Amino acid sequence: MTSFPLQISRPIHPTGIWNWITTIDHKRIGILYGVTAFILFIIGGIEAMLMRSQLASSNMKLINPELYNQLFTMHGTTMIFLAIMPMGAAFFNYLIPLQIGARDVAFPRLNAFSYWTFLAGAIILNASWFLGGAPNAGWFGYAPITGKAYNVGHGIDFWIVSLQVLGIASLAAAFNFIVTIINMRAPGMTFSRLPVFTWMSFITAILLVLAFPVITVALIELMFDRFYGTNFFITSAGGNPVLWQHLFWVFGHPEVYILILPAMGIVSEILPTFSKKPLFGYPVVILSGIIIAFMGWMVWSHHMFTVGLGPVANSVFALTTMAIAIPTGVKIFNWLATLWKGSLTLNTPMLYAIGFILTFTIGGISGVMHSQAASDAQQQDTYFIVAHIHYVLFGGSLIAILGGIYYWFPKFSGRMYNETLGKLGFYSFFIAMNITFFPMHFTGLNGMPRRIYTYSSEFGWDFWNLISTIGVFLLAAAMIIFIYNIVSSWINGEKAPADPWDARTLEWSIPSPPPEYNFAVIPTVEHRDDWWEKKMQNKTSEEISSGDIHLPQPSYWPFVVSIGLLIAAFGLIYNIPVAILGTAITMIGVYAWSFEPVNDPD
Amino acid sequence: MSDSNNDSIHEDTTTGLNNRKLLMWAFLGSDCMFFASLIATYLVYKGKSVTGPNPIDLFSIPVTSVSTFVLLMSSMSMVLAYSALTRGRLKVFRVWLLSTVILGMTFLGFQVFEFRDFTVNEVKISCEQNSPKYLELENKLSNSQKSEYKKQCSENLESAHIEFGMTPRTNLFGTTFFVLTGFHGAHVTIGVIWLLSLYFYSFKRGAVSAERHLDVDLAALYWHFVDIVWIIIFTVVYLFGVYEGF
Amino acid sequence: MFNLSRKILFINKLAKTKFLLMAFITLILTISCSSKDPQSTFDTLGPVSRLQLELFYILFWVGLIIFILITAVVLYIILKYRAKSGDPIPEQIHGNTKLEIIWTILPIIIIVAIAVPSVQAIFASSKPDNSFTNNDLTINATGKQWWFEFEYPEYGLITANEVHIPIGEAVTIKLHSKDVLHSFWVPKLAGKVDMVPNNNNHLWLQADEPGIYYGHCAEFCGQAHALMRFKLIAETREEFEAWIIHQKTNAWTTTDPLAQQGMEIFMSREAGCYACHTIQGTDKAKGNQGPNLTHFASRTHFAAGILENNQANLREWLKDPNKVKPGNLMAKNAGIYNGTADELTDNEISALIAFLRGLQ
């Protein structure tokens, strides 16, 4: 290989923190993602609890409006970009190579890079709290209030820059998974034998790759307006705020499918395992996922029904939005048919997956209500929408993720979690969730707008707001039970076998936790649910690897490039020389990465 | 494990396609959406500028046609470079690669020249009563430009010279035009740096050859993409901006 | 025999659960959906909101039935198919094409059925058709941070935060914004439409009964978004026209010395109120940054619909507007409030109150 001035030999068997910094093992990266995302989820939850405390009754003076606006902005941005998406990424990272019978992803260093860049983005966004105030114009940042004329401080700048950095992380990860899933499947693992979770992740990655550039452009335009005086959203120059909304939602709607499809994939794995039956209608479930992803590009203006697009546009988008309910419903029916006549084990992951069906259905129904543009005018920007989004995100994405954490816990930790605590955690979670969010349907239809820091007692909203606030504290308690269970079990739970659930897919055919190389011998796949079929036919065997297994080496450079981006981001906000320094570090890192030698493992 | 730099042997991947090639295609798909959003912004704001010059006041189709031709020729030289490499003719490969770089830099030079010209854009408006040029531009001139015109004409000149230039701050056309073409130019610049690096890299023995041509293949894909984007920009922004009926 | 009694017990259990669930749902819904609260979307007092509620009810009943069915199936599944030790591996059913077709077609039929009233409602709510009395009353509503300006172009009248309309007539409201996004929302009369700068939005509504209707900005617009409201007063045509005539007159002049003192303060350079507010009929007060105050005392509420128009509230507002409505622009821009000039004394406030209360 070429010699290169900055050539540093790759780390050899690093230990301790250096192991984590230089790792390119998809399993470790998955754990990094999962733990980081969960901590950020807690932060987002605290932001919610503060808001709900302020809203517990009318005219409370706990939180002033400026802080409140920062809280709801950060809550939304954190939950979507720093919690749900990276938790999804944690699952992609850990599971996809295992499910397709590979040793790692296609680009292991790019994988590490996407984690460190995500962390950089999280740091940048949350740094705003300490550097003059967090962004305060909502996670959707509608123009013109995000412009310099109405928002002078650096809060919005942090929002813009952190989202761009997070976009780089997401795109890097998505590219990686697309290539991995297409190109690194074990022999015999055709697309029609792919586990549903991997399929849904594949579709999600494609959505990411096509949707993120649109918000990248929107953020660039806003940034140029704020930093360089351009006119994209300057109304006095003829700029139209509606353009921001179109760009944002062309990204934003596929984004919500990015948030839910992995969750649907997780549910599609859990239900068959604990019903001891295959997923009912596998081709239909996959096709529905593809149709949802495709049609997700045609519905974006249902977020803009009240913006004045006119009855023709509103009708078109109402119809497309109603249409997308159909493949969604079909999935639900297939899940129910999977359970039907199964032999059900109602343990913790199964409870979460079944709970998903119920709460996601509620969210889906309120979604179809919103699709009616005429009556949506009474729901838009009220708590009815807040109810809908939390039912699909909390009662959809999150509940599935929690179920997935329990389901794969034995695999990634090598331990069994405590089943009693798990069930207790589930029931408290499920009940608390409904106490928190169901009343929002009522307050919304009773005329309570969103994004208000206080309300008057004459409106009659006090009672249900108090119930919601109580609910959120109950939710916090439920999450404490969850955290306690996971942490204590990880430290000293009972050792887990390779296949504690008598499950169906390839990841259960290897030890818990898997060795660094995943599979001693790359399996030859002959069926869908290959592991289950092999078990049924008694064809499982302990195969011993016949030769050397070559694994990718750890590397410093992904971390270095991410640091460069972090520095460049702060420089972009504060100080151009710092931005240049950061960019230089990034470029040096990229060059060193490209020319890095491949050491042979010893 | 496959030698990931070598794609003439059948790859050890599920589809037989090299991983990095697949990555480049996925990246280009993403970059399509990036430019599509910028072009959409440009089109949404076309004709909506409140003041300032419009495309017809600034564009010189002959000049831009030349730069477009130059970029197109750079794609051709890139193809010739790649072809030479796959036939093992390393020296010829380097010649064509360097030509691509030079043509790319020429294109960038044209862009810089054109942009600077737009920012100044001195126009001559005759001082006669109801001069047709003044009437044509009246709605687009800013107040300070109008007073400058009056001031010059009051000095009994035959015609006034007014700077009717455009920066990204001037109006919607300036904003959308410069950001769109600016990002395209940035992509071309990255491409030029990439190709130049490849050129120097190729002097190392064995770095690129008839068998090891993936690096060049990837760079070529990127370069052609950037060229195609320019064709679209030239059509949608320049041609549609100047000729009636669009 | 034994099986039958087990089955009955089982169905009983299921039925009980379902029954309890339904009763609970009905109770909750009855409590919530019969609300007559000031911004309840169930208390529809005009054709647009009524149309929107009717459409909602269609979706609601369809949704409820679907939800009950799915919940019932889930409950049945959990109870019936729970694994017991020694259970064999169940039959590995991979799918059933007929079922897939049925449960794809059925939702399509439901969606298509809903689509028809849906699209009809969209068009009906965007413009009043011939069945409505449309006397072409048009009002320009402009959202500004954080209050509403209302202009009646055919009458040449500008007022703020309280809009009057005649009952029984379809009224068009044209929507504008001077700064950021806002929206115009009177839940009991019609769904909201946003006020977007540089766009020509409008909505139409009609009030069937006289009364005071609550309006709320429903598009996030910054710090005081929560406190940006307004009142819509619907009255008979005669009352409406009398109101117009009255509002168009110049401000009432007074002989009360306290009120006169208040007027002097209002017009003084130190206080500077005249620079932002218009009081028609005076020489100095011609500003339009803040609400038109010509007939301030004739309004039921002030500070954008959030405070009842009485002495106590007025005193609180004039003493420290930022405390009442944090972030508001009067507190930010006026010297007497932002620290660049002397604060008003209590006596000065009393004088101003007398003056403002005199602007009938």
Side-chain angles (χ1 to χ4, degrees):
Chain A
M1 282 295 289
T2 189
S3 63
F4 179 76
L6 225 72
Q7 196 167 48
I8 298 174
S9 58
R10 293 175 86 141
I12 302 180
H13 301 309
T15 52
I17 192 152
W18 285 107
N19 187 326
W20 289 100
I21 289 179
T22 61
T23 187
I24 44 79
D25 178 354
H26 69 97
K27 300 182 289 298
R28 297 191 134 229
I29 294 171
I31 291 178
L32 282 171
Y33 259 113
V35 172
T36 311
F38 200 82
I39 293 173
L40 287 156
F41 170 71
I42 305 288
I43 295 178
I46 293 174
E47 285 158 355
M49 284 165 68
L50 287 169
M51 287 192 281
R52 281 256 44 104
S53 302
Q54 164 65 13
L55 291 177
S57 95
S58 49
N59 294 319
M60 280 190 72
K61 300 261 188 276
L62 194 64
I63 309 251
N64 67 56
E66 178 56 34
L67 177 59
Y68 188 89
N69 294 347
Q70 293 179 15
L71 284 171
F72 79 69
T73 304
M74 291 295 277
H75 169 76
T77 310
T78 296
M79 287 308 196
I80 291 175
F81 293 103
L82 304 182
I84 302 282
M85 284 177 78
M87 284 207 250
F91 284 98
F92 300 158
N93 265 281
Y94 205 95
L95 290 172
I96 289 176
L98 301 183
Q99 289 201 330
I100 64 175
R103 293 231 158 83
D104 205 323
V105 295
F107 303 104
R109 289 174 297 174
L110 190 65
N111 203 13
F113 166 73
S114 66
Y115 168 74
W116 293 112
T117 307
F118 150 64
L119 183 62
I123 291 173
I124 295 166
L125 182 65
N126 282 287
S128 63
W129 283 117
F130 308 105
L131 294 174
N136 61 4
W139 84 278
F140 49 93
Y142 276 0
I145 203 168
T146 45
K148 261 279 179 345
Y150 303 104
N151 223 314
V152 177
H154 280 309
I156 300 290
D157 301 329
F158 277 102
W159 184 74
I160 294 171
V161 169
S162 69
L163 283 180
Q164 298 287 48
V165 171
L166 290 168
I168 294 174
S170 288
L171 282 172
F175 290 139
N176 215 342
F177 288 114
I178 289 174
V179 176
T180 303
I181 294 171
I182 292 178
N183 244 5
M184 299 192 55
R185 289 168 281 138
M189 176 65 84
T190 59
F191 267 95
S192 67
R193 292 177 185 162
L194 219 47
V196 184
F197 174 72
T198 298
W199 245 118
M200 294 299 116
S201 306
F202 181 59
I203 298 171
T204 302
I206 294 177
L207 281 177
L208 272 165
V209 156
L210 297 175
F212 250 97
V214 185
I215 193 178
T216 304
V217 165
L219 289 169
I220 285 174
E221 293 179 0
L222 179 63
M223 186 178 94
F224 275 42
D225 272 9
R226 287 179 65 85
F227 290 22
Y228 309 127
T230 50
N231 299 303
F232 288 105
F233 307 113
I234 306 296
T235 46
S236 55
N240 195 341
V242 180
L243 174 65
W244 169 270
Q245 296 193 29
H246 278 299
L247 287 173
F248 184 82
W249 288 115
V250 168
F251 153 77
H253 198 84
E255 166 68 8
V256 312
Y257 293 117
I258 289 168
L259 296 170
I260 199 66
L261 284 173
M264 290 178 161
I266 293 175
V267 167
S268 304
E269 299 279 342
I270 295 178
L271 294 177
T273 296
F274 296 111
S275 311
K276 298 220 167 313
K277 276 177 72 216
L279 180 70
F280 193 93
Y282 170 98
V284 178
V285 173
I286 302 294
L287 186 61
S288 299
I290 295 174
I291 292 176
I292 290 172
F294 182 71
M295 291 187 64
W297 292 95
M298 303 181 211
V299 302
W300 81 88
S301 280
H302 66 221
H303 300 272
M304 297 161 65
F305 276 148
T306 58
V307 168
L309 300 176
V312 174
N314 280 357
S315 299
V316 169
F317 283 101
L319 293 170
T320 54
T321 308
M322 280 190 265
I324 216 171
I326 294 164
T328 315
V330 165
K331 280 197 170 208
I332 294 181
F333 300 139
N334 276 289
W335 288 322
L336 292 175
T338 306
L339 295 166
W340 190 267
K341 292 210 168 126
S343 176
L344 307 191
T345 307
L346 295 177
N347 60 8
T348 306
M350 185 63 149
L351 287 173
Y352 275 99
I354 294 179
F356 171 95
I357 295 178
L358 294 174
T359 44
F360 183 72
T361 298
I362 295 179
I365 290 172
S366 58
V368 178
M369 289 173 175
H370 293 321
S371 75
Q372 309 302 297
S375 46
D376 180 62
Q378 291 278 49
Q379 299 160 7
Q380 172 68 336
D381 276 290
T382 69
Y383 265 78
F384 197 75
I385 301 248
V386 180
H388 163 70
I389 55 185
H390 285 92
Y391 266 88
V392 288
L393 287 174
F394 207 92
S397 301
L398 187 75
I399 202 175
I401 285 172
L402 295 178
I405 292 176
Y406 276 112
Y407 180 54
W408 280 293
F409 185 80
K411 183 57 55 184
F412 70 76
S413 71
R415 311 260 182 181
M416 297 304 287
Y417 62 84
N418 181 313
E419 183 59 47
T420 312
L421 268 183
K423 288 204 173 80
L424 177 65
F426 167 74
Y427 283 113
S428 39
F429 172 87
F430 195 72
I431 294 171
M433 189 213 129
N434 283 289
I435 294 178
T436 309
F437 298 115
F438 202 79
M440 293 182 179
H441 293 107
F442 305 145
T443 42
L445 292 176
N446 208 11
M448 182 174 177
R450 282 174 91 166
R451 302 164 183 153
I452 55 174
Y453 77 100
T454 191
Y455 54 93
S456 164
S457 53
E458 59 187 328
F459 289 119
W461 302 328
D462 287 64
F463 177 68
W464 289 122
N465 268 287
L466 183 61
I467 303 287
S468 283
T469 302
I470 293 173
V472 92
F473 282 92
L474 293 174
L475 261 179
M479 291 316 300
I480 291 174
I481 298 175
F482 173 86
I483 295 170
Y484 176 76
N485 194 1
I486 296 292
V487 172
S488 63
S489 303
W490 204 331
I491 295 174
N492 54 27
E494 194 188 307
K495 282 236 185 291
D499 187 7
W501 311 128
D502 192 19
R504 312 178 75 86
T505 42
L506 282 180
E507 71 268 28
W508 303 104
S509 70
I510 54 180
S512 301
E516 201 188 340
Y517 48 80
N518 298 345
F519 297 90
V521 175
I522 301 286
T524 304
V525 172
E526 285 154 20
H527 319 269
R528 193 181 299 155
D529 284 346
D530 196 60
W531 175 238
W532 175 265
E533 297 297 330
K534 295 247 165 68
K535 284 190 286 187
M536 291 299 109
Q537 296 165 26
N538 281 320
K539 278 206 198 144
T540 64
S541 57
E542 280 297 322
E543 297 206 51
I544 305 160
S545 164
S546 52
D548 283 328
I549 298 176
H550 284 245
L551 283 182
Q553 290 288 100
S555 168
Y556 300 106
W557 300 113
F559 183 73
V560 171
V561 177
S562 299
I563 299 262
L565 284 178
L566 179 68
I567 296 175
F570 277 100
L572 199 53
I573 297 176
Y574 286 109
N575 187 325
I576 290 298
V578 172
I580 293 176
L581 171 68
T583 312
I585 295 176
T586 304
M587 288 184 63
I588 291 172
V590 169
Y591 262 88
W593 176 339
S594 314
F595 292 108
E596 189 166 39
V598 180
N599 293 330
D600 265 335
D602 47 58
Chain B
M1 265 183 62
S2 67
D3 177 354
S4 64
N5 203 353
N6 182 340
D7 73 349
S8 68
I9 308 175
H10 178 82
E11 288 282 345
D12 193 15
T13 59
T14 313
T15 59
L17 271 176
N18 179 282
N19 280 347
R20 296 199 293 159
K21 194 119 174 242
L22 205 45
L23 177 65
M24 177 52 77
W25 280 107
F27 170 74
L28 294 180
S30 197
D31 222 5
C32 266
M33 290 301 284
F34 179 81
F35 280 106
S37 306
L38 283 172
I39 292 173
T41 300
Y42 177 85
L43 288 173
V44 161
Y45 281 148
K46 189 160 128 82
K48 301 270 194 335
S49 290
V50 175
T51 58
N54 282 343
I56 208 157
D57 301 311
L58 292 179
F59 286 159
S60 161
I61 298 298
V63 171
T64 318
S65 299
V66 171
S67 69
T68 305
F69 181 72
V70 164
L71 197 62
L72 269 170
M73 287 301 104
S74 78
S75 264
M76 190 184 80
S77 64
M78 186 74 233
V79 169
L80 290 169
Y82 182 73
S83 160
L85 182 64
T86 53
R87 283 176 292 128
R89 305 182 59 196
L90 211 55
K91 285 209 172 75
V92 179
F93 156 73
R94 286 199 203 104
V95 166
W96 284 120
L97 184 60
L98 199 58
S99 309
T100 309
V101 170
I102 291 171
L103 287 168
M105 288 172 76
T106 307
F107 172 81
L108 286 173
F110 266 89
Q111 295 294 79
V112 169
F113 164 77
E114 203 186 25
F115 289 5
R116 287 178 63 175
D117 191 45
F118 288 174
T119 58
V120 173
N121 191 38
E122 206 180 68
V123 288
K124 194 165 106 171
I125 311 178
S126 103
C127 282
E128 64 181 1
Q129 277 280 43
N130 292 327
S131 102
K133 189 83 185 168
Y134 184 77
L135 290 173
E136 181 200 327
L137 294 180
E138 192 174 6
N139 285 337
K140 304 187 219 169
L141 291 174
S142 71
N143 288 337
S144 59
Q145 283 163 336
K146 283 183 188 157
S147 48
E148 177 64 24
Y149 172 75
K150 292 195 172 80
K151 177 165 154 260
Q152 286 189 25
C153 285
S154 69
E155 290 160 17
N156 278 326
L157 296 167
E158 251 201 55
S159 47
H161 292 260
I162 306 290
E163 271 197 17
F164 189 43
M166 181 179 82
T167 68
R169 297 185 192 191
T170 307
N171 57 4
L172 287 176
F173 172 48
T175 292
T176 54
F177 173 81
F178 280 115
V179 173
L180 170 60
T181 52
F183 270 101
H184 176 263
H187 276 73
V188 175
T189 308
I190 291 173
V192 164
I193 295 174
W194 188 351
L195 292 175
L196 203 52
S197 311
L198 257 181
Y199 175 77
F200 290 116
Y201 181 60
S202 74
F203 282 99
K204 183 171 164 63
R205 187 177 280 283
V208 289
S209 68
E211 292 79 34
R212 294 177 68 91
H213 54 68
L214 181 69
D215 287 328
V216 177
D217 202 353
L218 296 178
L221 267 176
Y222 176 80
W223 190 258
H224 293 314
F225 171 76
V226 164
D227 192 3
I228 293 174
V229 171
W230 178 253
I231 305 296
I232 298 175
I233 293 178
F234 179 61
T235 310
V236 169
V237 173
Y238 287 83
L239 295 179
F240 286 12
V242 163
Y243 295 113
E244 290 288 312
F246 290 111
Chain C
M1 200 71 238
F2 190 51
N3 255 343
L4 184 60
S5 63
R6 274 243 303 267
K7 258 204 178 127
I8 293 173
L9 265 165
F10 170 79
I11 291 173
N12 246 348
K13 203 165 153 195
L14 189 62
K16 251 199 288 197
T17 327
K18 261 171 84 172
F19 174 72
L20 279 172
L21 194 69
M22 304 266 279
F24 183 66
I25 290 176
T26 316
L27 181 67
I28 298 271
L29 292 173
T30 321
I31 297 176
S32 322
C33 299
S34 56
S35 168
K36 289 250 186 275
D37 285 330
Q39 293 194 178
S40 166
T41 60
F42 290 102
D43 188 19
T44 57
L45 293 167
V48 179
S49 54
R50 201 158 32 242
L51 169 71
Q52 290 165 336
L53 185 64
E54 275 159 17
L55 183 60
F56 172 73
Y57 274 135
I58 298 175
L59 268 296
F60 173 74
W61 288 113
V62 171
L64 184 65
I65 293 171
I66 293 177
F67 177 67
I68 289 178
L69 283 173
I70 292 189
T71 309
V73 170
V74 170
L75 286 174
Y76 177 79
I77 286 174
I78 300 179
L79 294 169
K80 171 110 177 161
Y81 294 117
R82 193 174 199 144
K84 290 166 274 297
S85 62
D87 269 356
I89 305 243
E91 191 189 341
Q92 305 286 289
I93 306 172
H94 290 269
N96 180 320
T97 313
K98 204 157 84 176
L99 217 49
E100 299 284 358
I101 293 177
I102 293 176
W103 67 38
T104 307
I105 300 280
L106 227 53
I108 291 179
I109 294 176
I110 297 175
I111 293 288
V112 169
I114 297 177
V116 175
S118 181
V119 174
Q120 282 176 337
I122 293 174
F123 281 90
S125 56
S126 78
K127 229 165 60 169
D129 66 29
N130 294 329
S131 63
F132 293 100
T133 307
N134 191 345
N135 289 326
D136 292 328
L137 175 59
T138 303
I139 303 171
N140 285 322
T142 304
K144 310 190 190 196
Q145 282 178 320
W146 285 277
W147 56 282
F148 289 89
E149 182 175 272
F150 298 115
E151 187 210 352
Y152 292 75
E154 57 220 71
Y155 296 108
L157 167 67
I158 296 180
T159 181
N161 296 326
E162 191 174 280
V163 58
H164 287 234
I165 62 171
I167 52 172
E169 290 180 41
V171 174
T172 302
I173 320 256
K174 291 204 174 144
L175 304 166
H176 316 274
S177 165
K178 256 286 175 305
D179 39 43
V180 300
L181 301 177
H182 298 281
S183 71
F184 182 99
W185 189 36
V186 183
K188 296 200 177 189
L189 294 183
K192 74 154 186 164
V193 178
D194 292 338
M195 297 159 132
V196 185
N198 281 353
N199 280 255
N200 297 325
N201 291 354
H202 74 278
L203 63 77
W204 82 273
L205 50 72
Q206 176 175 308
D208 290 336
E209 291 171 29
I212 301 180
Y213 295 83
Y214 280 37
H216 207 302
C217 175
E219 184 63 44
F220 178 69
C221 55
Q223 226 175 330
H225 168 60
L227 299 176
M228 182 173 166
R229 310 181 200 146
F230 63 98
K231 301 287 174 271
L232 181 146
I233 315 261
E235 50 203 0
T236 64
R237 236 292 150 177
E238 298 72 41
E239 286 168 331
F240 171 72
E241 300 206 332
W243 175 82
I244 294 270
I245 293 172
H246 176 78
Q247 294 289 315
K248 287 198 63 171
T249 59
N250 286 342
W252 210 247
T253 50
T254 179
T255 48
D256 172 20
L258 191 60
Q260 277 181 338
Q261 185 197 353
M263 182 161 101
E264 276 161 40
I265 297 170
F266 191 95
M267 304 296 176
S268 71
R269 266 196 68 216
E270 289 76 28
C273 318
Y274 67 93
C276 294
H277 294 281
T278 295
I279 298 184
Q280 196 181 304
T282 65
D283 286 328
K284 261 182 120 173
K286 291 188 164 38
N288 56 17
Q289 314 268 41
N292 183 312
L293 299 177
T294 311
H295 296 282
F296 173 78
S298 70
R299 298 180 198 152
T300 62
H301 292 74
F302 72 99
I306 60 174
L307 294 170
E308 270 180 45
N309 197 346
N310 58 40
Q311 291 218 28
N313 284 340
L314 209 43
R315 181 166 294 276
E316 243 191 85
W317 173 254
L318 290 173
K319 184 114 186 107
D320 190 352
N322 204 52
K323 188 149 165 260
V324 176
K325 192 164 170 176
N328 88 77
L329 292 174
M330 182 167 100
K332 201 162 141 211
N333 294 333
I336 47 176
Y337 296 122
N338 65 19
T340 58
D342 288 334
E343 284 177 17
L344 294 171
T345 66
D346 282 335
N347 283 338
E348 285 170 328
I349 292 180
S350 301
L352 274 170
I353 292 176
F355 169 60
L356 290 169
R357 302 279 304 152
L359 293 173
Q360 293 290 345

